[in-house]
Amino acid sequence: FEILDWSVEIEQRKGAKAFPRLRGHLKFDHVWFEYNPGEPVLKDICLEIQPGNTVALVGHTGCGKTTLTRLLMRFSDVTGGSVSVDGQDIRDLQFKVLRGQIGQVPQDSVMFNLSIRDNLTYGRPNATEDEIIEASRMAEIHEFILRTVDGYDTMLGEDGIKLSVGEKQRFAIARAVLTKPAVLILDEATSSLDSLSEALIQKALSTVLAGRTSIVIAHRLSTIVNADLIVAMDQGEIVESGSH
């Protein structure tokens, strides 16, 4: 109850816009951010991502890569500068418009003790059977699902206990794709996988990322070698950027 009583830190502005389908043109304009006053985590970040491009963020743990994506989804607000999508400051957009069009595949995906279908569709409960299968095929998980006892009605167990790490990640990719996001964020999505699982996920991502604005946070070169732009960060700053 103490947690439920916490006040909301990031609130939607009055008169926030219901923007139409996003194209995925992202811009971080002289962004500063700090959790604690006087201790900036991001320092004067300037980064523009064109629609349909894949940008990889690389750098040591704690350099600000994930924080940058949190700002894009307005889990926190910038201390200085602005973040915009398609020319609109994200603080002027409704939460459901912004977050409803951003898909995220985290490093450790949460699975529920529900059926495979329910786990895939909890971000979009009204998805059709054809859309569920299409997303599963794109994530290279459809054939695995067909081999389970009850197919898409198979119960996964608490936290997906019946799944390997690689299978969980492919489920997470299918789940994200099913929401048809304009922007996709992959946060260390292949960091803890063996080479075979990584190969399957790389194959899936080559399909999923095509034509979709994507931000990929990664340490492994194999994950970022095909990115349109690689951005190296260090201690909250962009220190280098360019192609592989």
Side-chain angles (χ1 to χ4, degrees), residues 10 25 30 38 52 58 70 91 94 97 106 108 111 125 152 174 176:
I10 308 299
H25 181 199
H30 296 284
V58 299
R70 287 177 56 82
R91 289 169 290 192
Q94 292 179 3
V97 171
D108 186 19
M111 296 290 163
Y152 282 86

Side-chain angles (χ1 to χ4, degrees), residues 29-183:
D29 189 14
H30 296 284
V31 166
W32 288 77
F33 177 72
E34 53 190 37
Y35 290 106
N36 301 313
E39 300 177 15
V41 177
L42 295 175
K43 307 165 189 172
D44 200 28
I45 297 292
C46 292
L47 176 62
E48 188 166 3
I49 304 174
Q50 297 299 328
N53 279 9
T54 296
V55 170
L57 302 181
V58 299
H60 296 295
T61 300
C63 70
K65 305 185 297 296
T66 298
T67 300
L68 205 59
T69 63
R70 287 177 56 82
L71 293 180
L72 177 61
M73 292 184 285
R74 275 203 81 196
F75 292 153
S76 300
D77 269 340
V78 296
T79 306
S82 65
V83 180
S84 64
V85 179
D86 296 352
Q88 293 283 330
D89 190 313
I90 61 173
R91 289 169 290 192
D92 294 328
L93 297 178
Q94 292 179 3
F95 284 147
K96 66 178 182 180
V97 171
L98 179 67
R99 296 172 182 165
Q101 297 190 53
I102 299 177
Q104 185 180 30
V105 181
Q107 183 175 351
D108 186 19
S109 301
V110 175
M111 296 290 163
F112 302 100
N113 188 18
L114 299 168
S115 69
I116 286 175
R117 180 180 286 99
D118 289 337
N119 268 282
L120 290 176
T121 62
Y122 92 92
R124 189 170 162 234
N126 62 344
T128 66
E129 191 73 9
D130 286 344
E131 288 173 327
I132 295 169
I133 292 173
E134 180 189 9
S136 300
R137 287 187 189 279
M138 290 178 73
E140 297 287 330
I141 197 68
H142 177 66
E143 299 301 325
F144 165 81
I145 294 172
L146 293 184
R147 292 195 299 270
T148 61
V149 179
D150 296 313
Y152 282 86
D153 294 316
T154 300
M155 299 297 286
L156 285 184
E158 196 67 44
D159 198 24
I161 195 169
K162 299 177 183 178
L163 302 175
S164 70
V165 176
E167 288 158 358
K168 272 188 180 183
Q169 288 304 82
R170 280 181 280 153
F171 269 102
I173 292 170
R175 176 190 277 169
V177 170
L178 194 56
T179 64
K180 298 186 183 298
V183 178

